[in-house]
Amino acid sequence: MTWSEMQPLLEQASWETLIMVGWSTVIAVVLGLPLGVLLVLTERGGLLQNVLLGKVIGQIVNIGRSMPFIILMVALMSFTRWVTGTTIGSEAAIVPLAIGGIPFFARLVETAVREVDGGLVEAVQSMGGNTWTIVRKVLVPEALPSLIASTTTTVIALIGYSAMAGTVGGGGLGDLAVRYGYQRFEPGFMWITVALLAVAISLIQFAGDHTARTLHRRGGRGAVAPRLRLLKAKEPAAADVSKVA
């Protein structure tokens, strides 16, 4: 197969992969972020302590993460057909990709939020802040560099999932590699798709790492946290002065 024959196929497949990964990432982030925060809030000693609810959510997330993606795609075929009207193509692949990405991202969010300084939470509580204020003003802004890194990891994982989706007619570069590289014995075509996926992953990883490092050097996005740190630093000094007096 010549390059002039490969080029339109590669362009179409790359666009399909971009659509699949893009939409599934948006859905995974929008639904996985509150789910991950809820895992932290409902744990023992959390702001919304509810051990039973936390365990139920945790088990659901664990089941979603432990299921191999190929099996997940097959198990969700009826649901995918109900949502999209088909089980073949890039649009249909978005459904299992998103559902597989939600628990994956939720666990990464949970880890990122746990790293936030508990003293900042206590400071906001002492100032009368409610749970929503703490989440919006402290937990998410302070964890933002880690959340960006988590999003990068999720995107890369979804690219790998999208390639696997191609083996069962999901479209994209994975489907192209199987149909032309494997079934039609075009190894050159397969290596080109591998190279495109490798380049895409490298660029995404670079962009994500650069953004996370930039935010980390700036101390996160929130303007409240630095002021709370200053407040915490002043409180012991004020207490010492009162003792001397």
mmCIF file of all heavy atoms in Angstrom, residues 108-136:
data_model
loop_
_atom_site.group_PDB
_atom_site.id
_atom_site.type_symbol
_atom_site.label_atom_id
_atom_site.label_comp_id
_atom_site.label_asym_id
_atom_site.label_seq_id
_atom_site.Cartn_x
_atom_site.Cartn_y
_atom_site.Cartn_z
ATOM 1 N N LEU A 108 -7.635 8.240 41.162
ATOM 2 C CA LEU A 108 -6.538 9.209 41.080
ATOM 3 C C LEU A 108 -6.920 10.508 41.786
ATOM 4 O O LEU A 108 -6.081 11.130 42.454
ATOM 5 C CB LEU A 108 -6.196 9.473 39.611
ATOM 6 C CG LEU A 108 -5.647 8.285 38.819
ATOM 7 C CD1 LEU A 108 -5.407 8.689 37.365
ATOM 8 C CD2 LEU A 108 -4.361 7.768 39.428
ATOM 9 N N VAL A 109 -8.172 10.921 41.648
ATOM 10 C CA VAL A 109 -8.648 12.116 42.345
ATOM 11 C C VAL A 109 -8.594 11.906 43.853
ATOM 12 O O VAL A 109 -8.171 12.795 44.604
ATOM 13 C CB VAL A 109 -10.087 12.460 41.909
ATOM 14 C CG1 VAL A 109 -10.675 13.559 42.790
ATOM 15 C CG2 VAL A 109 -10.102 12.896 40.454
ATOM 16 N N GLU A 110 -9.014 10.748 44.295
ATOM 17 C CA GLU A 110 -8.980 10.441 45.724
ATOM 18 C C GLU A 110 -7.564 10.589 46.282
ATOM 19 O O GLU A 110 -7.350 11.205 47.334
ATOM 20 C CB GLU A 110 -9.488 9.016 45.959
ATOM 21 C CG GLU A 110 -9.475 8.597 47.419
ATOM 22 C CD GLU A 110 -9.785 7.124 47.604
ATOM 23 O OE1 GLU A 110 -9.780 6.384 46.601
ATOM 24 O OE2 GLU A 110 -10.019 6.714 48.756
ATOM 25 N N THR A 111 -6.600 10.039 45.569
ATOM 26 C CA THR A 111 -5.206 10.143 46.012
ATOM 27 C C THR A 111 -4.736 11.590 46.035
ATOM 28 O O THR A 111 -4.059 12.024 46.974
ATOM 29 C CB THR A 111 -4.302 9.319 45.082
ATOM 30 O OG1 THR A 111 -4.731 7.952 45.081
ATOM 31 C CG2 THR A 111 -2.850 9.376 45.548
ATOM 32 N N ALA A 112 -5.095 12.350 45.008
ATOM 33 C CA ALA A 112 -4.671 13.754 44.929
ATOM 34 C C ALA A 112 -5.272 14.585 46.056
ATOM 35 O O ALA A 112 -4.587 15.414 46.674
ATOM 36 C CB ALA A 112 -5.066 14.339 43.576
ATOM 37 N N VAL A 113 -6.542 14.377 46.352
ATOM 38 C CA VAL A 113 -7.212 15.164 47.393
ATOM 39 C C VAL A 113 -6.679 14.817 48.776
ATOM 40 O O VAL A 113 -6.591 15.679 49.650
ATOM 41 C CB VAL A 113 -8.743 14.953 47.310
ATOM 42 C CG1 VAL A 113 -9.452 15.608 48.489
ATOM 43 C CG2 VAL A 113 -9.279 15.515 46.001
ATOM 44 N N ARG A 114 -6.314 13.563 48.988
ATOM 45 C CA ARG A 114 -5.768 13.158 50.284
ATOM 46 C C ARG A 114 -4.467 13.899 50.605
ATOM 47 O O ARG A 114 -4.095 14.037 51.775
ATOM 48 C CB ARG A 114 -5.494 11.657 50.301
ATOM 49 C CG ARG A 114 -6.724 10.789 50.395
ATOM 50 C CD ARG A 114 -6.321 9.336 50.506
ATOM 51 N NE ARG A 114 -7.440 8.454 50.345
ATOM 52 C CZ ARG A 114 -8.296 8.126 51.310
ATOM 53 N NH1 ARG A 114 -8.105 8.644 52.507
ATOM 54 N NH2 ARG A 114 -9.298 7.306 51.072
ATOM 55 N N GLU A 115 -3.749 14.337 49.581
ATOM 56 C CA GLU A 115 -2.463 14.996 49.795
ATOM 57 C C GLU A 115 -2.595 16.447 50.243
ATOM 58 O O GLU A 115 -1.608 17.071 50.613
ATOM 59 C CB GLU A 115 -1.643 14.947 48.494
ATOM 60 C CG GLU A 115 -1.275 13.530 48.060
ATOM 61 C CD GLU A 115 -0.583 13.502 46.715
ATOM 62 O OE1 GLU A 115 -0.503 14.579 46.073
ATOM 63 O OE2 GLU A 115 -0.136 12.420 46.295
ATOM 64 N N VAL A 116 -3.797 16.997 50.215
ATOM 65 C CA VAL A 116 -4.003 18.390 50.615
ATOM 66 C C VAL A 116 -3.770 18.523 52.121
ATOM 67 O O VAL A 116 -4.210 17.676 52.906
ATOM 68 C CB VAL A 116 -5.427 18.858 50.245
ATOM 69 C CG1 VAL A 116 -5.685 20.269 50.755
ATOM 70 C CG2 VAL A 116 -5.615 18.796 48.739
ATOM 71 N N ASP A 117 -3.115 19.579 52.514
ATOM 72 C CA ASP A 117 -2.804 19.839 53.919
ATOM 73 C C ASP A 117 -4.087 19.928 54.737
ATOM 74 O O ASP A 117 -4.950 20.778 54.488
ATOM 75 C CB ASP A 117 -2.016 21.149 54.026
ATOM 76 C CG ASP A 117 -1.561 21.441 55.450
ATOM 77 O OD1 ASP A 117 -1.794 20.598 56.341
ATOM 78 O OD2 ASP A 117 -0.966 22.516 55.662
ATOM 79 N N GLY A 118 -4.215 19.049 55.728
ATOM 80 C CA GLY A 118 -5.408 19.060 56.567
ATOM 81 C C GLY A 118 -5.549 20.328 57.381
ATOM 82 O O GLY A 118 -6.664 20.708 57.772
ATOM 83 N N GLY A 119 -4.433 21.020 57.651
ATOM 84 C CA GLY A 119 -4.503 22.261 58.403
ATOM 85 C C GLY A 119 -5.284 23.341 57.678
ATOM 86 O O GLY A 119 -5.936 24.185 58.309
ATOM 87 N N LEU A 120 -5.222 23.321 56.341
ATOM 88 C CA LEU A 120 -5.988 24.299 55.562
ATOM 89 C C LEU A 120 -7.488 24.061 55.718
ATOM 90 O O LEU A 120 -8.264 25.013 55.815
ATOM 91 C CB LEU A 120 -5.587 24.213 54.091
ATOM 92 C CG LEU A 120 -4.125 24.526 53.753
ATOM 93 C CD1 LEU A 120 -3.877 24.316 52.278
ATOM 94 C CD2 LEU A 120 -3.772 25.942 54.161
ATOM 95 N N VAL A 121 -7.865 22.788 55.751
ATOM 96 C CA VAL A 121 -9.274 22.450 55.945
ATOM 97 C C VAL A 121 -9.738 22.922 57.313
ATOM 98 O O VAL A 121 -10.816 23.514 57.460
ATOM 99 C CB VAL A 121 -9.493 20.933 55.789
ATOM 100 C CG1 VAL A 121 -10.937 20.558 56.092
ATOM 101 C CG2 VAL A 121 -9.113 20.485 54.385
ATOM 102 N N GLU A 122 -8.923 22.677 58.331
ATOM 103 C CA GLU A 122 -9.276 23.101 59.683
ATOM 104 C C GLU A 122 -9.382 24.618 59.775
ATOM 105 O O GLU A 122 -10.248 25.151 60.484
ATOM 106 C CB GLU A 122 -8.232 22.583 60.675
ATOM 107 C CG GLU A 122 -8.206 21.068 60.787
ATOM 108 C CD GLU A 122 -7.070 20.581 61.671
ATOM 109 O OE1 GLU A 122 -6.322 21.446 62.186
ATOM 110 O OE2 GLU A 122 -6.938 19.364 61.844
ATOM 111 N N ALA A 123 -8.518 25.326 59.062
ATOM 112 C CA ALA A 123 -8.564 26.790 59.092
ATOM 113 C C ALA A 123 -9.865 27.312 58.496
ATOM 114 O O ALA A 123 -10.485 28.238 59.027
ATOM 115 C CB ALA A 123 -7.370 27.360 58.341
ATOM 116 N N VAL A 124 -10.297 26.713 57.377
ATOM 117 C CA VAL A 124 -11.550 27.139 56.759
ATOM 118 C C VAL A 124 -12.726 26.805 57.662
ATOM 119 O O VAL A 124 -13.685 27.585 57.787
ATOM 120 C CB VAL A 124 -11.723 26.489 55.374
ATOM 121 C CG1 VAL A 124 -13.086 26.808 54.794
ATOM 122 C CG2 VAL A 124 -10.632 26.967 54.428
ATOM 123 N N GLN A 125 -12.681 25.639 58.317
ATOM 124 C CA GLN A 125 -13.747 25.269 59.238
ATOM 125 C C GLN A 125 -13.840 26.258 60.396
ATOM 126 O O GLN A 125 -14.936 26.642 60.812
ATOM 127 C CB GLN A 125 -13.514 23.858 59.778
ATOM 128 C CG GLN A 125 -13.812 22.760 58.776
ATOM 129 C CD GLN A 125 -13.531 21.386 59.343
ATOM 130 O OE1 GLN A 125 -12.477 21.137 59.926
ATOM 131 N NE2 GLN A 125 -14.478 20.482 59.187
ATOM 132 N N SER A 126 -12.676 26.663 60.930
ATOM 133 C CA SER A 126 -12.665 27.618 62.040
ATOM 134 C C SER A 126 -13.213 28.981 61.632
ATOM 135 O O SER A 126 -13.682 29.751 62.466
ATOM 136 C CB SER A 126 -11.242 27.767 62.584
ATOM 137 O OG SER A 126 -10.398 28.394 61.625
ATOM 138 N N MET A 127 -13.145 29.271 60.324
ATOM 139 C CA MET A 127 -13.674 30.538 59.814
ATOM 140 C C MET A 127 -15.145 30.424 59.408
ATOM 141 O O MET A 127 -15.709 31.359 58.852
ATOM 142 C CB MET A 127 -12.837 30.993 58.614
ATOM 143 C CG MET A 127 -11.383 31.301 58.972
ATOM 144 S SD MET A 127 -10.301 31.456 57.514
ATOM 145 C CE MET A 127 -11.035 32.863 56.696
ATOM 146 N N GLY A 128 -15.751 29.271 59.679
ATOM 147 C CA GLY A 128 -17.170 29.086 59.401
ATOM 148 C C GLY A 128 -17.476 28.536 58.030
ATOM 149 O O GLY A 128 -18.644 28.529 57.613
ATOM 150 N N GLY A 129 -16.479 28.041 57.308
ATOM 151 C CA GLY A 129 -16.712 27.498 55.972
ATOM 152 C C GLY A 129 -17.417 26.154 56.024
ATOM 153 O O GLY A 129 -17.093 25.308 56.853
ATOM 154 N N ASN A 130 -18.385 25.948 55.123
ATOM 155 C CA ASN A 130 -19.075 24.663 55.062
ATOM 156 C C ASN A 130 -18.325 23.697 54.148
ATOM 157 O O ASN A 130 -17.267 24.033 53.591
ATOM 158 C CB ASN A 130 -20.525 24.846 54.599
ATOM 159 C CG ASN A 130 -20.607 25.556 53.252
ATOM 160 O OD1 ASN A 130 -19.669 25.522 52.454
ATOM 161 N ND2 ASN A 130 -21.734 26.199 52.982
ATOM 162 N N THR A 131 -18.878 22.509 53.984
ATOM 163 C CA THR A 131 -18.199 21.477 53.194
ATOM 164 C C THR A 131 -18.005 21.902 51.750
ATOM 165 O O THR A 131 -16.934 21.699 51.163
ATOM 166 C CB THR A 131 -19.003 20.166 53.248
ATOM 167 O OG1 THR A 131 -19.143 19.748 54.609
ATOM 168 C CG2 THR A 131 -18.295 19.065 52.450
ATOM 169 N N TRP A 132 -19.039 22.500 51.150
ATOM 170 C CA TRP A 132 -18.937 22.933 49.762
ATOM 171 C C TRP A 132 -17.844 23.989 49.601
ATOM 172 O O TRP A 132 -17.096 23.973 48.624
ATOM 173 C CB TRP A 132 -20.276 23.468 49.285
ATOM 174 C CG TRP A 132 -20.238 24.154 47.954
ATOM 175 C CD1 TRP A 132 -20.517 25.453 47.698
ATOM 176 C CD2 TRP A 132 -19.877 23.573 46.688
ATOM 177 N NE1 TRP A 132 -20.361 25.735 46.361
ATOM 178 C CE2 TRP A 132 -19.971 24.596 45.722
ATOM 179 C CE3 TRP A 132 -19.491 22.304 46.292
ATOM 180 C CZ2 TRP A 132 -19.701 24.376 44.380
ATOM 181 C CZ3 TRP A 132 -19.217 22.083 44.951
ATOM 182 C CH2 TRP A 132 -19.325 23.106 44.022
ATOM 183 N N THR A 133 -17.751 24.901 50.559
ATOM 184 C CA THR A 133 -16.712 25.929 50.499
ATOM 185 C C THR A 133 -15.329 25.304 50.597
ATOM 186 O O THR A 133 -14.403 25.698 49.872
ATOM 187 C CB THR A 133 -16.904 26.945 51.644
ATOM 188 O OG1 THR A 133 -18.178 27.562 51.514
ATOM 189 C CG2 THR A 133 -15.825 28.027 51.594
ATOM 190 N N ILE A 134 -15.185 24.320 51.470
ATOM 191 C CA ILE A 134 -13.885 23.650 51.629
ATOM 192 C C ILE A 134 -13.486 22.932 50.345
ATOM 193 O O ILE A 134 -12.329 23.001 49.909
ATOM 194 C CB ILE A 134 -13.946 22.668 52.818
ATOM 195 C CG1 ILE A 134 -14.079 23.444 54.135
ATOM 196 C CG2 ILE A 134 -12.698 21.784 52.850
ATOM 197 C CD1 ILE A 134 -14.347 22.571 55.328
ATOM 198 N N VAL A 135 -14.443 22.249 49.729
ATOM 199 C CA VAL A 135 -14.150 21.533 48.487
ATOM 200 C C VAL A 135 -13.768 22.508 47.385
ATOM 201 O O VAL A 135 -12.782 22.314 46.657
ATOM 202 C CB VAL A 135 -15.360 20.683 48.062
ATOM 203 C CG1 VAL A 135 -15.149 20.109 46.661
ATOM 204 C CG2 VAL A 135 -15.596 19.558 49.058
ATOM 205 N N ARG A 136 -14.553 23.581 47.264
ATOM 206 C CA ARG A 136 -14.376 24.520 46.146
ATOM 207 C C ARG A 136 -13.179 25.441 46.334
ATOM 208 O O ARG A 136 -12.495 25.777 45.367
ATOM 209 C CB ARG A 136 -15.651 25.348 45.983
ATOM 210 C CG ARG A 136 -15.686 26.244 44.767
ATOM 211 C CD ARG A 136 -17.100 26.761 44.540
ATOM 212 N NE ARG A 136 -17.624 27.432 45.715
ATOM 213 C CZ ARG A 136 -17.522 28.752 45.928
ATOM 214 N NH1 ARG A 136 -16.908 29.510 45.038
ATOM 215 N NH2 ARG A 136 -18.042 29.296 47.004
#
